[in-house]
Amino acid sequence: MNTPTDHVGPPLWLLAELTYRCPLQCPYCSNPLDFAHHDQELSTEQWLDVLSQGRAMGAAQLGFSGGEPLVRQDLPELIAGARELGYYSNLITSGLGLTEAKVQDFARAGLDHIQVSFQASDPELNNAVAGSRKAFDQKLAMARAVKDAGYPMVLNFVVHRHNIHQMADILALCENLGADYVELATCQYYGWAFANREGLMPSRAQLVTAEATVNRFRNQLAERDHPMKVIFVTPDYYEERPKACMNGWGSLFLTVAPDGTALPCHSARLLPIDFPNVTASPLEDIWYRSPGFNHYRGDSWMPEPCRSCDEKDKDFGGCRCQAYLLTGNADNADPVCSKSAHHDRILAARTAADHATAGLEDLIYRNADNSNVFCRG
C-alpha cells in the first residue's frame, strides 16, 4: 500500500488565480460561492516570489486565471517575470478588458498562449449567460486580435443545457474565427455550477446529439485535412467510472488562490481541510510536507470499495470535491463510480436532467450580491 509521500514529484503545472474579481456573472463559475468574503489578493512582489519558488521546484507551465486576470494592473509585470523564470505561460480570459494594445504588450512581455472563453454562438444567449450586453462583440474582436498577434487561437465554451443545442453553430463560429484548438467543456458541477446544477445539466439525449455533432464535424475536418483540434469534455455525471481528478491529489497541479491559499485543485478550498498559505510557508514545504497536500496522497486514506479496487491506481478514488458535495464526506468514493454506495445520487441527477424545465431566469448568477447571500447562509 502506498504511503502519502511515496513517489511525490514536483508540481509541473502552476495555476495562479490572481483575483476573484470579474466583470461577468456566469452561473457556472468555479470560483467559491463566498468569493465576496475573499477580497485579499497577493501583491505583485508576493506573486513573483510564488512564481520563482514554483519554478525552482520544477514547475514548467503557468496559468494566469481568476476571476478575470485582466483586472490586475500588474499582469504585464507578472507575465514578464514568468518569461524571465522560464515558464510556458497561458492567460485564461473572458476577453473583457482586453485590447489589441494589451495583446501586443503581453506578447512583448513573453506570454505564450491566450485562451478566450465564449458563452454561446450568438450575442443574445452569450450576453444573457455572461450578464454583460457587450460581451459577445468584445470576445469576437479579441479572438481575432489574438490570432492576428500570432498566438495560437484557443477557444473555450462551457457547454450546458441552454447552449448545447448550438453545437453546430459553435463549431462553425470557431472555424470562422480560425481557431486552432477548441475546448467544448461540458459543465462540471463545482462552485456556482453545483448551486445551479438542476438548471444547467443537459439531458442524456442532448449530450448524445451534441457528441454526434462534434464527431461529424471532426470527420469533416479530417476529410479537408483541416488542422483545427476539437476537444469535447463529457460531464462526470454521465460516466460510470470517475476521472483521475487532477491526475491524482497533489501529483502534478498546484493552485494558488488570490489570497495565497495553496490548493491541490481550484475547488479544494470548499473542503473541510486546513490548507496552508504561501505568505506563511515556503512553497516547497507546502507541496511536500503540509497535511493539506498529503491528505489524499497515496491510497492509505481510501475506504472500500476504493481500497480493494483494481482501478484505484488509475482514478485515485475520483474527485474529493465531488464526493464531499454529493455525500458530505470527502473520504467517500466518488459517487460517479457505479461501485459507490452513493451512485444513486448521480442516477437521480440524470433523471432530473431529463425532466428539467428551468430557464436562464431561474439560475443564480455569480455576483457579489448573491455571494453575500451564500455567505449569510
Side-chain angles (χ1 to χ4, degrees), residues 33-338:
L33 295 173
D34 62 350
F35 75 85
H37 283 201
H38 295 282
D39 57 357
Q40 296 297 310
E41 295 179 6
L42 297 181
S43 68
T44 306
E45 292 72 22
Q46 287 172 318
W47 272 119
L48 289 172
D49 183 52
V50 168
L51 301 187
S52 179
Q53 291 184 60
R55 190 74 183 101
M57 292 171 63
Q61 297 213 40
L62 170 66
F64 292 114
S65 76
E68 175 48 69
L70 289 168
V71 305
R72 290 278 303 216
Q73 298 304 304
D74 58 355
L75 185 54
E77 186 174 350
L78 297 177
I79 291 170
R83 165 59 66 186
E84 185 176 350
L85 289 164
Y87 280 103
Y88 182 93
S89 59
N90 176 26
L91 175 63
I92 304 164
T93 177
S94 68
L96 269 71
L98 195 59
T99 64
E100 291 184 20
K102 287 182 179 180
V103 171
Q104 296 294 339
D105 288 344
F106 295 160
R108 284 190 290 269
L111 185 66
D112 295 292
H113 184 117
I114 300 177
Q115 175 184 297
V116 180
S117 65
F118 280 78
Q119 281 71 33
S121 61
D122 70 280
E124 183 177 3
L125 181 56
N126 186 100
N127 296 347
V129 174
S132 170
R133 289 176 293 179
K134 64 180 182 180
F136 187 75
D137 288 343
Q138 171 70 6
K139 289 170 182 291
L140 285 181
M142 290 305 100
R144 294 183 176 117
V146 167
K147 184 76 171 182
D148 290 344
Y151 285 105
M153 183 185 287
V154 183
L155 302 181
N156 172 271
F157 288 77
V158 175
V159 178
H160 46 82
R161 69 179 301 110
H162 301 290
N163 68 359
I164 196 168
H165 65 283
Q166 294 187 333
M167 194 57 64
D169 291 335
I170 287 172
L171 291 165
L173 173 64
C174 293
E175 185 174 4
N176 179 262
L177 288 172
D180 297 288
Y181 300 93
V182 177
E183 182 181 30
L184 305 167
T186 312
C187 201
Q188 305 290 344
Y189 300 102
Y190 308 97
W192 293 79
F194 186 77
N196 285 304
R197 190 186 70 192
E198 290 186 12
L200 290 173
M201 187 168 165
S203 68
R204 181 179 290 279
Q206 285 180 307
L207 187 64
V208 169
T209 299
E211 191 163 15
T213 300
V214 172
N215 287 333
R216 283 196 302 272
F217 186 80
R218 284 176 176 149
N219 290 337
Q220 291 166 6
L221 290 176
E223 289 170 1
R224 291 183 281 136
D225 200 25
H226 195 289
M228 188 169 82
K229 306 298 182 186
V230 179
I231 300 171
F232 186 73
V233 183
T234 57
D236 294 356
Y237 279 54
Y238 284 103
E239 303 290 350
E240 295 302 317
R241 289 290 182 270
K243 63 184 177 184
C245 188
M246 309 307 290
N247 206 53
W249 178 281
S251 173
L252 296 177
F253 296 90
L254 170 60
T255 296
V256 179
D259 64 356
T261 301
L263 302 164
C265 78
H266 61 276
S267 296
R269 74 183 310 158
L270 66 84
L271 299 174
I273 294 175
D274 185 21
F275 289 106
N277 194 290
V278 299
T279 61
S281 301
L283 209 57
E284 186 172 7
D285 283 349
I286 289 171
W287 178 258
Y288 289 106
R289 290 175 281 279
S290 71
F293 273 78
N294 281 303
H295 203 98
Y296 291 115
R297 278 181 172 144
D299 56 24
S300 61
W301 62 270
M302 290 183 179
E304 294 295 346
C306 297
R307 179 168 294 192
S308 58
C309 180
D310 58 6
E311 297 183 38
K312 67 182 179 182
D313 293 330
K314 298 178 182 177
D315 59 37
F316 311 107
C319 177
R320 299 302 88 222
C321 297
Q322 201 150 256
Y324 180 74
L325 286 169
L326 290 170
T327 75
N329 184 347
D331 292 358
N332 286 331
D334 188 334
V336 164
C337 184
S338 61

